[in-house]
Amino acid sequence: MKPVFELKCWVKKLYRQGGKFRAYLDELEHTETMALYELQRLQNRRLRRMVDHCVANVPYYRDLFHALKLRPEDIQTPDDLQQLPLLDKQTVNQNFERLIARNHQNWLCQIAKTSGTTGSPAKFIRDFNAINFENAAIWRQWRKGGDFGKKRVTLRGGIIAPVAQTEPPFWRHNPANRELQMSSFHLSMKNSRAYVDEILRFQPKVLYCLPSLGALLGRFFRHHGVSYQFDRIFTSSESLEPDTLAFLEETFQTRVVDWYGQTERVAAIGQCHLGRYHIQEDYAIVELWPSNDADTYELVGTHLHNFVMPLLRYRTHDFVTVDLSSCACGSVFRPVREIVGRSGKTPIITPEGCHITITAHITCGINNLLETQFQQEKPGEVILNVVTNGQFSEWDKAQLIQNTLQYTSPLMRVEVRKVDEIPRGPNGKFISIVNSAGMERQGSVV
Ligand SMILES: [Zn+2]
């Protein structure tokens, strides 16, 4: 099996970093140095190209423009986009086929499934160039952070080893990326020494992780009295709370660089070397849509590079607080103070003591779900509060329970509760996991 896995790693690397990857990376490293007016001119050109394509080739937009009595030339700049309605996930689900460009060859496209922050499943199609562009944007961030292809360890929510497996190895080696991929589903005190020893053996220079999982790994190192220094830690996919940031930097004696993106790939935010967050203005058109809270804005994004299934004015349901002061790093990209929409570090704790913060695998592919919240009141039990579209069947429910057992623990007791709505937290933020079962504090031993 090992040679097959290794071959897959090389093919995947070729796929993500083939085609226009190198050209995109060079271009992105240039566009971030552009003056604002130059960048705006470039983005306007790209926007017009995308709108022309949408109206000519995508049935959903052709009909939308017709209904609104708009012509493609009515959209010249990001401000003109306001003539179009916002697009949400439900509309994408209802119009999936009509959002696919008719002139597009499906060769090398990829279907991405997500449950997003709200646990509402959806799927999107990306073309080969869009995949190359995404990887180039991420690589720019890594290179800026100091990683030019060093040995790395990743703890990014992957399953890696079967959940029911009780003995190491809970990891595998990806030779194409010089990477040690570690399972996020076996991180427990019982397995902690095995994780620490494997990292000491592999000697990675960089850690790629979800903040909650990096912190858990840090607690293992501290618990076993082992000191380890990374050259850099790159985090993404969850809120990076100040206490987690401080804990990671102190434990692994390095700087943390954070990144925000989403499966829909309509907006990206990265930290500069001063630690400030900047909207990646050359990645997409990003609008800041006012929310109920005066200081908080929803990220609304428009694709400029994905021509197979373009999203115009897509609502991410992720929010930022705006920072009006300029950044001393000199970037013309708009700074934001905080990204408040991402799920936090609260875990579901399994009967075996593992911490599960990733729930996307559980709700992915379940039909008729609109929102899902995981609630833990007692150890070893989890309640799934679900908002459905009314057609949620017993089969869907059984599948949801099955997935929960598969991706948490076969010993977990699972209850599914239908609810009319899931109350939002502060700033309208959706909270995907609520745990009142006696959580350990950050920094304490698991
Ligand atoms: Zn900056």
Side-chain angles (χ1 to χ4, degrees):
M1 282 306 284
K2 200 178 166 200
V4 175
F5 171 72
E6 291 185 357
L7 182 65
K8 277 185 185 168
C9 291
W10 285 106
V11 170
K12 205 168 172 182
K13 183 175 173 125
L14 208 62
Y15 179 57
R16 289 182 171 174
Q17 298 177 29
K20 294 185 177 174
F21 169 79
R22 178 55 58 178
Y24 280 141
L25 184 55
D26 290 346
E27 179 187 296
L28 284 164
E29 290 188 334
H30 171 62
T31 49
E32 71 174 342
T33 64
M34 280 180 165
L36 188 58
Y37 76 92
E38 277 183 300
L39 184 59
Q40 285 169 341
R41 222 161 43 192
L42 177 69
Q43 295 300 74
N44 290 348
R45 258 201 325 271
R46 287 172 169 166
L47 177 62
R48 288 197 292 269
R49 180 184 64 170
M50 179 55 87
V51 171
D52 283 347
H53 165 72
C54 286
V55 177
N57 302 309
V58 183
Y60 174 81
Y61 292 113
R62 183 194 60 210
D63 295 349
L64 180 68
F65 273 67
H66 182 73
L68 295 171
K69 296 186 171 47
L70 283 175
R71 297 162 306 161
E73 52 270 32
D74 292 328
I75 311 288
Q76 296 283 330
T77 68
D79 285 347
D80 298 333
L81 278 171
Q82 290 180 21
Q83 299 171 79
L84 300 178
L86 297 177
L87 178 65
D88 59 24
K89 194 188 278 184
Q90 220 170 332
T91 309
V92 172
N93 283 342
Q94 287 162 357
N95 295 278
F96 183 78
E97 292 294 333
R98 296 174 63 242
L99 275 161
I100 300 172
R102 291 293 171 255
N103 67 332
H104 203 276
Q105 310 291 325
N106 283 331
W107 167 241
L108 288 180
C109 284
Q110 180 189 59
I111 294 181
K113 292 182 177 175
T114 178
S115 63
T117 309
T118 54
S120 159
K123 58 183 178 177
F124 303 89
I125 306 180
R126 305 161 182 156
D127 59 40
F128 185 45
N129 286 342
I131 291 162
N132 284 179
F133 180 79
E134 170 74 13
N135 280 285
I138 291 171
W139 263 101
R140 172 176 68 178
Q141 175 78 355
W142 291 350
R143 283 158 62 112
K144 269 199 299 191
D147 181 10
F148 290 85
K150 294 175 181 173
K151 278 169 87 172
R152 61 167 107 146
V153 53
T154 49
L155 259 177
R156 302 253 318 111
I159 299 167
I160 313 295
V163 173
Q165 184 178 317
T166 54
E167 297 298 323
F170 307 115
W171 46 79
R172 63 190 177 196
H173 294 264
N174 173 346
N177 293 337
R178 304 173 75 209
E179 178 184 27
L180 173 64
Q181 301 174 338
M182 303 194 103
S183 165
S184 303
F185 288 76
H186 297 83
L187 281 167
S188 64
M189 184 46 75
K190 175 177 164 285
N191 300 329
S192 60
R193 186 73 227 189
Y195 273 81
V196 170
D197 286 346
E198 183 60 17
I199 288 172
L200 292 176
R201 200 196 60 73
F202 185 67
Q203 290 287 305
K205 299 288 183 196
V206 183
L207 168 64
Y208 287 84
C209 64
L210 271 65
S212 60
L213 300 177
L216 199 50
L217 188 71
R219 281 183 251 170
F220 292 168
F221 273 83
R222 288 194 173 205
H223 175 71
H224 292 292
V226 178
S227 153
Y228 193 84
Q229 184 172 15
F230 287 110
D231 288 356
R232 196 69 76 232
I233 297 175
F234 292 92
T235 54
S236 61
S237 308
E238 285 179 342
S239 296
L240 177 62
E241 307 292 342
D243 58 347
T244 307
L245 171 68
F247 179 78
L248 282 171
E249 292 194 334
E250 192 188 324
T251 304
F252 294 117
Q253 307 152 58
T254 189
R255 188 161 69 79
V256 173
V257 181
D258 194 31
W259 173 263
Y260 159 87
Q262 70 299 112
T263 307
E264 297 87 335
R265 296 181 174 174
V266 293
I269 297 173
Q271 273 185 316
C272 69
H273 70 278
L274 297 176
R276 296 272 296 274
Y277 286 101
H278 292 270
I279 295 171
Q280 308 292 289
E281 308 282 9
D282 49 2
Y283 177 95
I285 302 284
V286 179
E287 296 172 63
L288 298 177
W289 190 253
S291 74
N292 294 336
D293 189 322
D295 289 334
T296 307
Y297 296 82
E298 183 177 347
L299 295 166
V300 170
T302 292
H303 279 151
L304 296 175
H305 290 88
N306 189 21
F307 286 83
V308 60
M309 191 177 177
L311 303 177
L312 306 184
R313 305 199 81 205
Y314 183 80
R315 293 185 68 169
T316 62
H317 292 288
D318 287 337
F319 298 83
V320 296
T321 51
V322 173
D323 191 342
L324 293 173
S325 62
S326 60
C327 182
C329 76
S331 173
V332 298
F333 295 176
R334 281 170 290 176
V336 299
R337 193 164 48 233
E338 192 191 1
I339 306 155
V340 290
R342 297 182 290 183
S343 56
K345 63 193 174 189
T346 305
I348 301 165
I349 303 172
T350 71
E352 299 91 339
C354 293
H355 286 216
I356 308 292
T357 54
I358 309 300
T359 54
H361 302 300
I362 296 171
T363 48
C364 241
I366 303 288
N367 294 322
N368 305 312
L369 264 188
L370 298 180
E371 290 179 356
T372 309
Q373 182 183 59
F374 295 78
Q375 186 182 345
Q376 190 164 39
E377 293 174 345
K378 295 179 194 164
E381 281 185 20
V382 67
I383 299 161
L384 277 62
N385 297 313
V386 297
V387 179
T388 74
N389 66 2
Q391 293 165 339
F392 186 75
S393 65
E394 282 302 310
W395 194 91
D396 294 330
K397 181 177 166 184
Q399 190 68 37
L400 186 59
I401 292 172
Q402 180 60 31
N403 281 5
T404 310
L405 295 173
Q406 185 180 348
Y407 294 124
T408 60
S409 159
L411 304 176
M412 188 71 92
R413 286 190 296 278
V414 183
E415 183 187 337
V416 176
R417 275 185 201 163
K418 282 193 198 177
V419 295
D420 292 333
E421 62 176 346
I422 291 171
R424 275 13 185 198
N427 294 332
K429 178 183 171 183
F430 186 87
I431 302 168
S432 56
I433 303 175
V434 179
N435 194 323
S436 54
M439 286 275 308
E440 292 87 349
R441 286 285 305 150
Q442 187 79 7
S444 65
V445 170
V446 200

